[in-house]
Amino acid sequence: YQYEKAIQKIPLQEIMYFKSDNKKICMILCSGEERIFKGKLTEVEKLLPDLVFLQIHKSYLINYDYVEAYSYEWIKMINGDILNISRAHRKDVKDKLMRHELLE
């Protein structure tokens, strides 16, 4: 990602999820640290592998490996954050989560 005119690199396994808010993206790391940069979540999603990250809402892109629990309407991350799954993404999220569990 780009921050203050410099390219920053973070290993994918250290990223728990991305949260988007009005062209600002907050990257939540496993360490609890947050990194904020400008951009669109749809552009970030294009750069990430499908088998690792999943969009659950227009504002959230999560790393499968850090999902602790989930229901039809929400996902709980290992840090305790509960993220809503939008209606538009529910069927796709359910299918992908189940497929991911089978691959583990």
Side-chain angles (χ1 to χ4, degrees):
Y1 70 99
Q2 187 169 341
Y3 181 71
E4 294 183 358
K5 299 181 183 177
I7 301 296
Q8 308 285 320
K9 292 177 85 174
I10 302 228
L12 292 177
Q13 66 269 20
E14 291 183 24
I15 303 170
M16 193 177 313
Y17 68 93
F18 294 92
K19 177 173 55 175
S20 172
D21 183 26
N22 205 20
K23 296 187 182 174
K24 282 190 179 179
I25 297 174
C26 183
M27 185 179 354
I28 312 298
L29 305 178
C30 300
S31 64
E33 189 180 349
E34 296 182 4
R35 304 273 178 95
I36 297 173
F37 59 98
K38 291 180 182 177
K40 291 183 178 181
L41 204 55
T42 53
E43 295 301 315
V44 172
E45 183 180 22
K46 290 176 189 175
L47 302 172
L48 299 169
D50 282 349
L51 296 174
V52 179
F53 287 87
L54 169 65
Q55 184 156 17
I56 63 167
H57 188 282
K58 69 178 182 176
S59 299
Y60 297 115
L61 187 59
I62 64 162
N63 185 329
Y64 284 108
D65 294 336
Y66 299 106
V67 172
E68 182 177 295
Y70 62 91
S71 77
Y72 187 65
E73 298 175 343
W74 51 261
I75 287 183
K76 182 178 181 182
M77 304 304 287
I78 62 165
N79 66 349
D81 290 353
I82 296 178
L83 312 175
N84 291 326
I85 303 171
S86 70
R87 282 193 174 106
H89 288 89
R90 285 182 184 160
K91 182 179 180 347
D92 191 42
V93 168
K94 179 184 170 193
D95 293 346
K96 287 182 178 179
L97 283 170
M98 288 184 162
R99 196 168 347 132
H100 189 266
E101 286 176 8
L102 291 173
L103 295 174
E104 287 183 335

